[in-house]
């Protein structure tokens, strides 16, 4: 039972991070039908800038919560700026071209950003300080759930709820949903599609940055390559849930995280990603549009 | 005479929406029949059921090819239905845009030819002559449709009217017994429509076809069709000759509010 | 001034990039000694670089926009050159001679490099069948390559079978694996297919990495024999030259077969499938058959390339078959121009040879590769040599083919 509970929590933690990243994929896909391969790199850059900002702050003598808050704010802004810029350079000029061109451009951007960080920083793993706050409350629950697991799960849930509210009730959210549904129609009704696309990238990148800080604190080390695997997993999660669907991305992330966690726990720890990918293939065979995806009975 | 196609109690649901409700329809061998009805009546949906693109919720579709015996085609794969001799055009033109006009028609010959992978690689005489036959036949269809000067153009670059004719040419290349035309005159100017009118009538005799035609242009329909089916909200509300349809109160009522009602009466 | 607007824009953009890259470019944290290195000089580099790049970027982008409006499609110079028999015949002749005397003129090392490049030509042409012709976005093409390489290595290790026996076996096993992957993805739409093929490739790689008893795990398999030459023992140099000519011959075969396939009834069906899947079926093409043959015939070349790769390097391990490799091959296809055989050959040679001969930039190889992918896609989305459809000429009354 205890073992089961540990695996469950581990899966939930992992799944929350996948979900945070998957949201970025799904939102971009919903609007541009583009697999934004560079999204994982934004997450990696988020983790790096958090490390840098936090180190500077710590050396200025700051400690505890203030470091976390300032580093988070800086990182989120910074990652959002990256997301915004990436879209302007690699995707915007390609709006009219065939589906494959922006995909290749995205792969190029992903390679570029990885190597940019590797060259400008280092190719080694860097230790990442645990920025998550220590408190008595967390100590008291630590017999049930690890403190950083708890924080990751709660933070992700809060961020995702905020996103859901934003999409549902704000004008911007409505414009985003309208654009995802029918771009031409949205444009005709006065939605500024360029702005919507930019904002989608900004929001997605901000979520990725939060994911980056959380996971880096949890795992305790980062390098320039962490974005790649996380990115592929998150994209898998988005597809699993039904790409384009926001609740689908969350569900897909959690399912994937749990599958990996239980797979490694009960079957074999060597095949962690194999469980994720095998699950994806199985689900798509039976539900080609993902768990919550809209049916693709296309109108003719 | 006999029928080439019979549709029995066809029903098609999309989630909660019933797009076709218990539709019955039959097309006589060699006739031009028309399917009319307001937008959203389910006409295109019926075509999609006939050609296997949608799997009907209930009901049967029977095809009577001239040379064989009756065959139930509902539930068959799209390409098998084409192979059995049902060809169609699309309301929203669906050509192979990046291929040339000639190649579009050559694709239509696919089911009527059989050279294999090995044939493609080694090009034995059989493959060569088959390829030549495909090109010749496709070219002659394009000539017939008045598209011969455009053979090497990309389909995407064709003017609208030519694209509609190319879709018909591609359908003809599959050697159909039954041709389904979905709003072939949509977007054409009156002169083009007149040409199309003559062309369709000619097609039937030259290619020995039965034709089912969806069209909003009542003049064209009344001119061409021997029999007309009227759909409204997925229900079949009338069937008869143009004369009968013109005076059918249910039809007039269905079209009221649409500009077409002036044309019907 | 003519470029005032661009210059002003570029200044803003340069400032933006200085801000954007500041933490990563300027600050470097040494977490062991807990010190921070500030590299202020990098600001200058970023600023100047961003300014110049954005200036030309805007210039070319504007040029591209206006040329698109005035002349929607003009045939590129490169295309016109290779379609002109007066140019391409002598050019082919020269290339042929060059290929023949290459090992005599260049060093052992160069011959090896060229052999690798030729393996990528084969891979590019194979993937072109799936992606370029049939429009099946395969992000896991490397899996078929791995199947070929491991077929050779393992079947040789366990059963002592030889290269010439296993070359077709590797190709067939890869084709079979292609069908295996093809079946479950038949119903899937474009990008779903992409992620599922990627998933298959990752699963295969992870299994190879972890199933030690089967595949010898991450350390891989070494001492794979080079191809025999009528029972004669070759020195490594001779063997490299032998491999080179083997690849020249087999690439010739690949080009011949893929060209014939492309211009056949099946090749047309693939293109129709790519253009409009539904209309393609309604025109009588069996979608299942078309997709599966595309997967099988595309995978086959990867299998063959895998056998050749294993025989050339005499050592393989799972690290050679990562997603990056798939991305590389896909880039070859798209950069060359989907469906265009000469374009893909050119791109394969460029992508594998340029980094080799730009050793000075060796640290910057990958970052330049990434940048090049973006730039080429933005300014030449159709690739270096966009595919052009075959033209036919008709004399009345009997129709005849021109080329
Ligand atoms: N694939 C589909 N999914 C959901 N609803 C559909 C689909 N295809 C058609 N419909 C619906 O069926 C009805 C009939 O459509 P259609 O057959 O296109 O009408 P018509 O061709 O007579 O104008 C419409 O309400 C349409 O929205
Ligand atoms: Mg319709």
């Amino acid at each position: 039972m205890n073992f089961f509970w540990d695996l469950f929590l581990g899966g939930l933690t992992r799944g929350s991070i996948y979900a945070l990243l998957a949201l970025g994929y799904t939102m971009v896909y919903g609007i541009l039908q583009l697999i934004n391969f560079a999204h994982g790199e934004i997450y990696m850059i988020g983790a790096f800038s958090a490390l840098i900002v936090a180190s500077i702050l710590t050396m200025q003598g700051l400690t505890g919560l203030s470091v976390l808050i300032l580093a988070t704010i800086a990182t989120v802004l910074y990652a959002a700026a990256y997301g915004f810029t990436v879209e302007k350079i690699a995707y915007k000029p390609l709006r009219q071209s065939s589906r494959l061109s922006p995909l290749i451009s995205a792969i190029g951007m992903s390679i570029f950003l990885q190597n940019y960080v590797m060259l400008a920083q280092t190719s080694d793993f860097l230790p990442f300080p645990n920025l998550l706050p220590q408190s008595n409350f967390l100590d008291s629950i630590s017999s049930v759930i690890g403190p950083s697991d708890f924080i990751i799960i709660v933070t992700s849930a809060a961020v995702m709820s905020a996103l859901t509210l934003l999409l549902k009730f704000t004008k911007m959210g409505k414009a985003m949903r309208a654009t995802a549904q029918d771009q031409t129609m949205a444009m005709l009704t006065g939605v500024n599609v360029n702005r919507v696309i930019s904002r989608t990238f900004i929001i997605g990148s901000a979520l990725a940055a939060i994911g980056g800080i959380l996971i880096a604190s949890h795992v305790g080390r980062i390098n320039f390559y962490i974005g790649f695997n996380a990115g592929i997993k998150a994209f898998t999660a988005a597809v699993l849930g039904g790409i384009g669907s926001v609740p689908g991305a969350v569900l897909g992330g959690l399912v994937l995280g749990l599958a990996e966690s239980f797979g490694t726990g009960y079957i074999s720890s060597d095949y962690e990603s194999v469980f994720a990918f095998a699950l994806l293939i199985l689900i798509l065979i039976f539900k080609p549009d993902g768990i919550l995806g809209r049916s693709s009975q296309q109108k003719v | 005479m006999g029928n080439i196609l019979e549709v029995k109690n066809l029903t098609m649901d999309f989630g909660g929406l019933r797009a076709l409700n218990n539709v019955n329809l039959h097309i006589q061998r060699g006739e031009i029949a028309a399917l009319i009805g307001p937008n959203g009546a389910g006409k295109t949906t019926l075509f999609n059921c006939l050609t296997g693109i949608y799997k009907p919720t209930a009901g049967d579709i029977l095809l009577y090819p001239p040379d064989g015996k009756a065959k139930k085609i509902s539930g068959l794969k799209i390409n098998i239905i084409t192979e059995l001799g049902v060809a169609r055009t699309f309301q929203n033109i669906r050509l192979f845009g990046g291929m040339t006009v000639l190649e579009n028609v050559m694709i239509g010959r696919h089911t009527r030819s059989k050279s294999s992978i090995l044939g493609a690689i080694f090009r034995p005489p059989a493959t060569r002559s088959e390829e030549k036959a495909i090109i010749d036949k496709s070219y002659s269809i394009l000539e017939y449709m008045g598209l011969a000067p455009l053979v090497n153009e990309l389909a995407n670059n064709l003017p609208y009217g030519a694209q509609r004719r190319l879709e018909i040419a591609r359908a003809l290349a599959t050697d159909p017994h039954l041709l389904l035309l979905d709003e072939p005159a949509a977007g054409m100017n009156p002169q083009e429509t007149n040409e199309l009118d003559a062309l369709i009538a000619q097609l039937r005799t030259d290619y020995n076809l039965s034709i089912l035609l969806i069209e909003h242009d009542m003049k064209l329909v009344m001119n061409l069709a021997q029999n007309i089916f009227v759909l409204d909200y997925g229900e079949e509300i009338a069937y008869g000759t143009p004369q009968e349809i013109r005076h059918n109160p249910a039809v007039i009522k269905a079209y009221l509010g649409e500009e077409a009602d002036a044309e019907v009466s | 001034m003519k470029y005032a607007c661009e210059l002003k824009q570029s200044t803003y953009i340069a400032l933006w990039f200085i801000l954007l890259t500041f933490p990563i470019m300027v600050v470097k944290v040494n977490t062991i000694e807990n010190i921070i290195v500030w590299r202020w000089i990098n600001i200058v580099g970023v600023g100047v670089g961003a300014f110049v790049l954005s200036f030309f970027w805007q210039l070319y982008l504007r040029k591209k926009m206006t040329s698109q409006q005035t002349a929607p499609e003009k045939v590129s110079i490169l295309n016109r050159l290779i379609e002109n028999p007066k140019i391409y015949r002598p050019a082919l002749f020269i290339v042929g001679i060059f290929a023949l005397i290459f090992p005599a003129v260049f060093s052992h090392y160069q011959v090896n490099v060229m052999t690798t490049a030729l393996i990528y030509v084969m891979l590019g042409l194979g993937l072109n069948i799936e992606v370029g012709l049939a429009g099946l976005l395969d992000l896991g093409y490397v899996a078929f390559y791995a199947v070929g390489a491991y077929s050779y290595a393992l079947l040789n290790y366990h059963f002592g079978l030889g290269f010439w026996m296993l070359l077709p076996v590797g190709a067939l096993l890869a084709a079979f694996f292609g069908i295996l992957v093809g079946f479950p993805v038949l119903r899937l739409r474009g990008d779903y297919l992409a992620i599922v093929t990627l998933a298959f490739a990752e699963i295969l790689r992870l299994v190879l990495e972890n199933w030690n008893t089967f595949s010898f795990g991450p350390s891989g398999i070494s001492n794979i024999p080079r191809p025999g030459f009528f029972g004669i023992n070759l020195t490594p140099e001779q063997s490299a030259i032998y491999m080179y000519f083997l690849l020249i011959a087999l690439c010739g075969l690949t080009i011949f077969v893929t060209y014939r396939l492309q211009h056949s009834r099946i090749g047309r069906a693939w293109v129709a499938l790519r253009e409009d899947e539904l209309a393609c079926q309604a025109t009588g093409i069996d979608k299942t058959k078309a997709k599966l043959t595309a997967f099988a015939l595309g995978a086959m070349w990867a299998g063959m390339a895998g056998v050749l790769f294993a025989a050339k390097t005499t050592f393989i391990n799972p690290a050679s078959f990562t997603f990056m490799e798939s991305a590389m091959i896909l880039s070859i296809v798209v950069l060359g121009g989907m469906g265009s055989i000469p374009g893909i050959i050119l791109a394969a040679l460029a992508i594998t040879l340029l980094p080799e001969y730009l050793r000075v930039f060796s640290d910057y190889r990958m970052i330049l590769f990434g940048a090049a992918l973006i730039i080429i896609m933005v300014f030449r989305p159709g690739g270096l040599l966009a595919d052009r459809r075959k033209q036919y000429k008709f004399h009345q009354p009997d129709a005849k083919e021109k080329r």
Side-chain angles (χ1 to χ4, degrees):
Chain A
M1 184 61 206
N2 213 357
F3 184 57
F4 177 88
W5 179 244
D6 282 349
L7 291 179
F8 181 74
L9 280 180
L12 224 50
T13 308
R14 189 192 282 258
S16 305
I17 302 288
Y18 289 157
L20 275 179
L21 270 174
L23 284 168
Y25 278 103
T26 235
M27 290 196 307
V28 167
Y29 191 92
I31 290 182
L32 290 178
Q33 278 78 51
L34 164 75
I35 307 175
N36 178 13
F37 260 102
H39 192 60
E41 269 55 61
I42 302 283
Y43 153 95
M44 177 270 293
I45 286 177
F48 262 91
S49 44
L51 173 68
I52 289 165
V53 175
S55 305
I56 296 175
L57 292 174
T58 322
M59 278 173 219
Q60 301 303 316
L62 292 181
T63 48
L65 208 57
S66 58
V67 172
L68 176 69
I69 292 173
L70 287 174
T72 306
I73 292 174
T75 304
V76 165
L77 287 177
Y78 190 60
Y82 265 92
F84 172 83
T85 313
V86 163
E87 193 269 327
K88 288 281 181 265
I89 294 177
Y91 308 140
K92 189 160 179 234
L94 288 170
R95 293 258 176 88
Q96 315 303 333
S97 24
S98 81
R99 296 273 305 281
L100 273 177
S101 308
L103 184 81
I104 296 293
S105 168
I107 291 175
M109 185 51 93
S110 159
I111 295 172
F112 181 88
L113 290 176
Q114 275 174 27
N115 286 277
Y116 153 70
V117 173
M118 183 190 83
L119 292 171
Q121 294 285 320
T122 169
S123 56
D124 301 328
F125 269 99
L126 289 177
F128 194 93
N130 191 352
L131 299 174
L132 305 180
Q134 318 293 320
S135 77
N136 294 335
F137 167 68
L138 288 175
D139 287 343
S140 69
I141 58 166
S142 66
S143 58
V144 192
I145 175 170
S148 68
D149 287 312
F150 177 76
I151 290 176
I152 288 178
I153 295 170
V154 170
T155 315
S156 313
V159 169
M160 289 185 276
S161 315
L163 177 74
T164 311
L165 293 180
L166 181 135
L167 286 176
K168 245 203 166 93
F169 296 113
T170 64
K171 201 168 159 227
M172 178 168 93
K174 282 177 190 154
M176 284 167 79
R177 282 186 297 144
T179 312
Q181 202 140 69
D182 187 339
Q183 194 154 324
T184 347
M185 239 2 238
M187 208 135 68
L188 289 176
T189 50
V191 173
N192 182 342
V193 171
N194 278 333
R195 190 179 302 158
V196 166
I197 292 173
S198 280
R199 286 187 178 165
T200 307
F201 274 85
I202 288 172
I203 294 173
S205 304
L207 295 176
I210 294 174
I213 300 176
L214 289 173
I215 198 72
S217 294
H218 186 59
V219 177
R221 54 181 211 157
I222 58 174
N223 81 344
F224 72 96
Y225 203 64
I226 56 167
F228 180 74
N229 267 325
I232 286 195
K233 289 298 176 50
F235 181 64
T236 306
V239 172
L240 194 65
I243 195 149
S245 149
V246 168
V250 177
L251 185 67
L254 294 179
V255 168
L256 203 67
L258 289 170
E260 282 191 357
S261 188
F262 284 117
T264 45
Y266 285 120
I267 306 174
S268 160
S269 60
D270 290 338
Y271 292 99
E272 175 187 299
S273 304
V274 172
F275 299 121
F277 293 129
L279 181 73
L280 172 84
I281 294 171
L282 275 180
I283 288 192
L284 286 185
I285 288 174
F286 295 108
K287 267 191 82 71
D289 299 291
I291 305 174
L292 295 182
R294 268 178 290 164
S295 153
S296 66
Q297 168 77 289
Q298 66 184 128
K299 274 197 188 180
V300 180
Chain B
M1 259 313 224
N3 293 333
I4 181 140
L5 184 87
E6 284 173 14
V7 174
K8 292 181 177 154
N9 304 323
L10 192 72
T11 297
M12 179 77 214
D13 292 343
F14 296 109
L17 178 86
R18 179 149 290 190
L20 291 174
N21 187 13
N22 226 2
V23 172
N24 288 285
L25 186 137
H26 58 93
I27 298 168
Q28 289 162 25
R29 184 154 301 147
E31 80 165 332
I32 297 180
L35 182 61
I36 64 170
N39 276 322
K43 306 181 295 294
T44 301
T45 302
L46 179 64
F47 268 26
N48 288 337
C49 291
L50 295 183
T51 48
I53 292 170
Y54 294 162
K55 300 271 167 282
T57 313
D60 285 327
I61 303 168
L62 297 169
L63 185 73
Y64 300 85
D67 38 7
K69 54 181 196 295
K71 184 136 193 149
K72 186 173 157 222
I73 59 170
S74 35
L76 294 184
K77 287 202 325 189
I78 307 174
N79 58 300
I80 300 292
I81 294 176
T82 310
E83 214 175 304
L84 288 171
V86 181
R88 70 171 290 174
T89 65
F90 293 91
Q91 180 178 350
N92 312 308
I93 301 175
R94 299 186 80 131
L95 289 167
F96 308 120
M99 301 175 88
T100 64
V101 168
L102 184 72
E103 285 174 321
N104 267 273
V105 183
M106 284 166 78
I107 292 291
R109 296 303 296 161
H110 192 92
T111 49
R112 305 296 169 215
S113 44
K114 51 179 180 293
S115 73
S116 63
I117 295 171
L118 289 180
I121 296 170
F122 295 110
R123 279 199 199 155
T127 306
R128 277 166 198 273
S129 62
E130 186 179 84
E131 183 77 5
K132 185 168 182 316
I134 292 175
I135 295 171
D136 290 350
K137 171 94 185 181
S138 304
Y139 185 73
S140 74
I141 294 174
L142 285 170
E143 256 180 335
Y144 183 89
M145 298 297 294
L147 293 168
L150 300 171
V151 280
N152 285 322
E153 294 290 322
L154 289 189
N156 264 342
N157 297 347
L158 253 48
Y160 191 79
Q163 290 198 352
R164 285 234 173 264
R165 274 182 289 149
L166 179 54
E167 270 219 327
I168 299 177
R170 181 178 69 184
L172 287 177
T174 64
D175 289 347
H177 305 302
L178 173 65
L179 181 62
L180 308 174
L181 301 173
D182 198 344
E183 305 200 13
M188 286 189 172
N189 62 35
Q191 196 213 329
E192 284 175 320
T193 309
N194 279 338
E195 286 169 15
L196 185 75
D197 191 329
L199 179 76
I200 292 174
Q202 195 65 45
L203 266 183
R204 171 178 53 163
T205 41
D206 290 350
Y207 284 85
N208 201 7
L209 288 171
S210 314
I211 296 175
L212 178 63
L213 169 83
I214 296 177
E215 192 41 70
H216 285 300
D217 186 319
M218 284 307 149
K219 197 166 143 259
L220 189 81
V221 170
M222 296 294 165
N223 241 342
L224 282 172
Q226 277 96 65
N227 289 298
I228 299 177
F229 297 86
V230 189
L231 277 184
D232 192 22
Y233 291 109
E235 306 266 357
E236 187 186 345
I237 58 166
Y239 165 68
T241 62
Q243 279 310 319
E244 293 161 355
I245 294 299
R246 211 188 292 263
H247 302 294
N248 186 316
V251 177
I252 294 170
K253 186 154 163 278
Y255 271 88
L256 268 182
E258 285 216 13
E259 57 199 316
D261 94 287
E263 288 170 66
V264 174
S265 50
Chain C
M1 215 176 93
K2 197 173 159 198
Y3 300 121
C5 170
E6 274 87 0
L7 287 173
K8 202 169 114 199
Q9 275 282 332
S10 301
T11 314
Y12 289 138
I13 290 174
L15 287 175
W16 170 255
F17 272 97
I18 288 174
L19 275 178
L20 194 66
T21 57
F22 179 83
I24 300 223
M25 288 300 287
V26 175
V27 188
K28 185 163 181 173
V29 182
N30 186 333
T31 37
I32 298 161
E33 291 165 38
N34 258 330
I35 47 167
I36 293 177
V37 187
W38 299 84
R39 300 164 297 177
W40 294 105
I41 185 73
N42 285 347
I43 284 191
V44 182
V46 169
V48 173
F51 181 84
V52 173
L53 278 176
S54 88
F55 180 75
F56 285 108
W57 182 273
Q58 290 176 63
L59 226 58
Y60 280 109
L61 210 58
R62 201 172 60 177
K63 204 172 125 203
K64 186 184 143 195
M65 293 296 176
T66 47
S67 76
Q68 250 171 10
Q69 271 156 18
T70 50
E73 49 191 322
K74 57 176 198 300
V75 182
S76 78
I77 304 170
L78 226 54
N79 262 326
R80 256 179 296 170
L81 279 185
I82 65 150
E83 277 166 32
N84 184 348
K86 281 212 191 80
I87 310 258
Y88 77 71
R89 290 222 177 104
L92 268 182
F93 185 72
I94 293 169
V95 169
I97 296 287
F98 181 74
L100 283 182
I101 61 167
F102 188 86
V105 179
F106 291 91
S107 71
H108 172 56
Y109 172 76
Q110 311 281 4
V111 172
N112 263 330
V113 169
M114 190 50 105
T115 309
T116 307
L118 290 171
I119 290 180
Y120 280 94
V121 170
M122 192 181 275
L123 289 168
L125 290 174
L127 183 59
N128 180 43
I129 292 180
E130 291 176 23
V131 180
L133 298 181
L136 303 165
L137 179 46
D138 184 350
L139 290 183
Y141 191 63
V142 76
F144 308 136
Y145 189 37
V147 167
Y150 271 89
S151 307
Y152 179 42
L154 289 175
L155 291 176
N156 176 271
Y157 180 86
H158 291 298
F159 305 107
L161 297 177
F163 172 83
W164 286 106
M165 168 88 203
L166 290 176
L167 187 66
V169 170
L172 285 178
L173 282 176
F176 178 72
F177 194 72
I179 293 177
L180 218 63
V181 174
F183 254 113
V185 303
L186 276 175
R187 285 168 70 205
L188 302 179
R189 287 178 290 143
D191 298 303
Y192 286 75
L193 194 142
I195 189 73
V196 169
T197 48
L198 194 160
F200 264 113
E202 283 292 293
I203 289 178
L204 181 69
R205 185 179 64 82
L206 290 163
V207 167
L208 289 176
E209 205 153 84
N210 290 299
W211 192 0
N212 289 319
T213 48
F214 171 69
S215 63
F216 302 96
S219 51
I221 304 167
S222 44
N223 290 327
I224 303 167
R226 296 200 170 86
F229 186 69
F230 304 111
I232 304 168
N233 271 338
L234 297 176
T235 65
E237 275 80 20
Q238 288 169 328
S239 162
I241 294 175
Y242 179 44
M243 265 327 275
Y244 168 82
F245 280 114
L246 203 60
L247 263 146
I248 290 277
L250 288 175
C251 276
L253 178 76
T254 317
I255 295 168
F256 175 78
V257 172
T258 49
Y259 179 84
R260 285 250 164 132
L261 283 175
Q262 182 166 358
H263 295 277
S264 73
R265 171 172 173 266
I266 292 151
R268 277 195 302 273
W270 286 334
V271 177
L273 188 73
R274 174 189 84 191
E275 293 289 313
D276 187 329
E277 188 168 321
L278 196 102
C280 168
Q281 289 171 274
T283 318
I285 287 167
D286 186 343
K287 171 178 97 169
T288 310
K289 223 162 127 186
K291 281 192 180 177
L292 289 180
T293 48
F295 266 114
L297 290 177
M300 191 181 85
W301 299 110
M304 196 182 275
V307 174
L308 290 163
F309 171 74
K312 172 180 175 287
T313 54
T314 69
F315 165 74
I316 54 168
N317 71 350
S320 304
F321 307 104
T322 58
F323 171 70
M324 261 317 294
E325 201 71 10
S326 289
M328 187 98 153
I329 305 167
L330 183 65
S331 313
I332 288 176
V333 175
V334 179
L335 288 184
M338 295 206 302
S340 152
I341 291 176
I344 288 164
I345 296 172
L346 222 64
L349 293 178
I351 281 190
T352 42
L353 295 183
L354 278 184
E356 282 301 328
Y357 294 116
L358 297 177
R359 278 278 159 193
V360 233
F361 299 115
S362 65
D363 284 348
Y364 298 94
R365 260 174 49 171
M366 285 316 279
I367 200 169
L368 288 177
F369 176 58
L373 287 185
I374 302 169
I375 291 171
I376 296 180
M377 281 303 103
V378 169
F379 293 105
R380 236 190 135 83
L384 294 171
L385 272 174
D387 177 42
R388 296 198 49 224
R389 305 306 308 171
K390 190 170 174 174
Q391 307 282 301
Y392 294 84
K393 199 165 177 183
F394 293 93
H395 316 282
Q396 318 264 344
D398 75 316
K400 226 180 165 183
E401 203 179 324
K402 179 182 151 195
R403 278 208 316 224

